[in-house]
Amino acid sequence: MKHNVAVILPCYNEEAAIAQTVASFRAALPGATIYVYDNNSRDRTIEVAREAGAVVRSERMQGKGNVVRRMFADIDADIYVMADGDATYDATSAPAMVARLVEEGLDMIVGTRVHEEAEAYRRGHVLGNKLMTGFLAGLFGRSFTDIFSGYRVFSRRFVKSFPVLSSGFEIETEISVHALELKMPVGEVETTYFARLEGSVSKLNTYRDGFRILRVIVQLYRIERPMLFFGWIAALFAALAVVLSIPLAITYAQTGLVPRFPTAILATGLMILASLNLFAGLILDTVVHGRREVRRLAYLGQRAPHADPEEKVSNFVPGLTPREAAE
């Protein structure tokens, strides 16, 4: 059985780099179909990509998350290789990433970026990546080395079970959380990260997009871990109520009176809020469990990317077995 490989490239104003990106992935994965999804570019990205031989399509809703949602919905393949159209990712790493996915039966391979040029990866982005990666690990128990990498290889069952909700650059975070929540088998492969070509400009804003990603992590934690999220809020309200009520209880024990009614009312209100948050967490936890089961069933409904041990994965590495390609 040969695996149908699709290279998917979301693009926005990448006229300077898209031709080289398409050419490098065609050389690395000669049997793959290369798709370029343009996101309202104001330059000649569409024309250049089409001239380079890519299948070009468009997504009018602005934002990388919207483009990824469209690509995952439209394209039917066994294996998906996703990268940016700015020629910063090393296409020669793709065959080994695909081979490892197939050989080990994984659902996602993350291309962990290794850079030697200072211009390739700004210091603010490096620091932000480390902080967010640690934060995600603290919330969900485990994480990846590089959660913001846009260079990933997916199985069909990952793509077709992933309900993309993000609209912007926070899509990589949502992808990581989806894999962690469904406990999918995943892996990482180090890959070189290059500086942008002359004329290619980054669309990332360190602080604006950093805050957006942080907000998405908190939202996903609320959605995926409601018992813990609302449980912490309930514990905070309950602790405040107890602290406020202790002097009242002591006074009542000594005199039989409750002289500070406003404090007593406040403590009662805080305890009511604590109870409401606790029950909200319990109810939502049941809902999330059901949603997770549905996603898991959608995941199990797709075929796994396994290869026969003797199979030649000739459509992406001619003449090599997955193990040989990975080496």
Side-chain angles (χ1 to χ4, degrees), residues 4 72 75-80 101 106-107 154-162 298-299 301-305:
N4 178 17
F72 282 7
I75 299 171
D76 189 61
D78 298 315
I79 298 169
Y80 300 76
L101 183 101
L106 303 179
D107 288 305
F154 304 102
S155 68
R156 175 185 175 83
R157 62 183 182 180
F158 183 104
V159 168
K160 297 306 180 183
S161 68
F162 179 40
Y299 165 79
Q302 303 295 331
R303 57 183 177 272

Side-chain angles (χ1 to χ4, degrees), residues 155-186:
S155 68
R156 175 185 175 83
R157 62 183 182 180
F158 183 104
V159 168
K160 297 306 180 183
S161 68
F162 179 40
V164 183
L165 303 177
S166 300
S167 60
F169 284 107
E170 63 272 20
I171 180 63
E172 283 90 3
T173 305
E174 188 184 356
I175 287 172
S176 300
V177 170
H178 179 67
L180 296 175
E181 278 298 288
L182 291 191
K183 297 179 174 57
M184 295 181 179
V186 297

Side-chain angles (χ1 to χ4, degrees), residues 32-310:
T33 303
I34 300 176
Y35 297 87
V36 170
Y37 271 70
D38 180 73
N39 195 207
N40 302 314
S41 295
R42 295 187 297 272
D43 59 10
R44 296 184 62 252
T45 296
I46 292 178
E47 292 84 348
V48 173
R50 190 170 286 127
E51 291 170 2
V55 178
V56 180
R57 295 175 181 172
S58 297
E59 170 54 50
R60 297 304 177 192
M61 294 180 65
Q62 197 66 40
K64 186 176 181 179
N66 293 321
V67 180
V68 172
R69 182 187 304 113
R70 178 72 179 275
M71 293 190 301
F72 282 7
D74 287 357
I75 299 171
D76 189 61
D78 298 315
I79 298 169
Y80 300 76
V81 180
M82 185 175 77
D84 294 335
D86 54 13
T88 55
Y89 292 111
D90 184 11
T92 61
S93 299
M97 294 170 69
V98 172
R100 183 178 172 191
L101 183 101
V102 173
E103 183 182 42
E104 298 182 17
L106 303 179
D107 288 305
M108 180 173 68
I109 298 288
V110 180
T112 304
R113 293 170 288 184
V114 178
H115 58 96
E116 298 178 354
E117 304 173 68
E119 295 82 4
Y121 204 5
R122 286 177 278 178
R123 290 185 178 180
H125 291 177
V126 174
L127 177 61
N129 196 353
K130 290 181 179 178
L131 291 175
M132 294 295 183
T133 298
F135 185 50
L136 192 68
L139 293 179
F140 293 95
R142 61 191 181 106
S143 185
F144 300 92
T145 304
D146 185 2
I147 65 168
F148 295 152
S149 174
Y151 194 10
R152 304 187 183 222
V153 177
F154 304 102
S155 68
R156 175 185 175 83
R157 62 183 182 180
F158 183 104
V159 168
K160 297 306 180 183
S161 68
F162 179 40
V164 183
L165 303 177
S166 300
S167 60
F169 284 107
E170 63 272 20
I171 180 63
E172 283 90 3
T173 305
E174 188 184 356
I175 287 172
S176 300
V177 170
H178 179 67
L180 296 175
E181 278 298 288
L182 291 191
K183 297 179 174 57
M184 295 181 179
V186 297
E188 294 181 302
V189 172
E190 289 191 350
T191 180
T192 305
Y193 190 63
F194 303 112
R196 281 178 168 267
L197 299 178
E198 184 177 353
S200 179
V201 180
S202 175
K203 288 77 181 175
L204 283 171
N205 182 289
T206 303
Y207 299 104
R208 181 195 64 202
D209 292 313
F211 282 119
R212 286 183 64 182
I213 291 166
L214 179 61
R215 183 187 66 198
V216 167
I217 291 177
V218 174
Q219 288 177 342
L220 287 171
Y221 186 62
R222 174 179 58 81
I223 293 170
E224 302 294 346
R225 297 284 194 275
M227 190 63 246
L228 290 175
F229 182 86
F230 290 101
W232 280 110
I233 297 175
L236 177 61
F237 283 138
L240 288 173
V242 170
V243 169
L244 291 173
S245 63
I246 287 176
L248 300 178
I250 293 173
T251 302
Y252 180 78
Q254 293 173 345
T255 66
L257 301 174
V258 183
R260 291 180 289 176
F261 275 103
T263 303
I265 294 171
L266 176 60
T268 303
L270 289 172
M271 192 57 73
I272 291 173
L273 288 175
S275 300
L276 289 174
N277 275 277
L278 179 62
F279 283 106
L282 288 170
I283 294 169
L284 290 174
D285 190 65
T286 303
V287 174
V288 169
H289 185 75
R291 289 177 54 248
R292 194 174 294 130
E293 285 184 345
V294 171
R295 281 186 291 168
R296 185 72 184 178
L297 289 172
Y299 165 79
L300 294 174
Q302 303 295 331
R303 57 183 177 272
H306 288 291
D308 185 87
E310 302 301 321

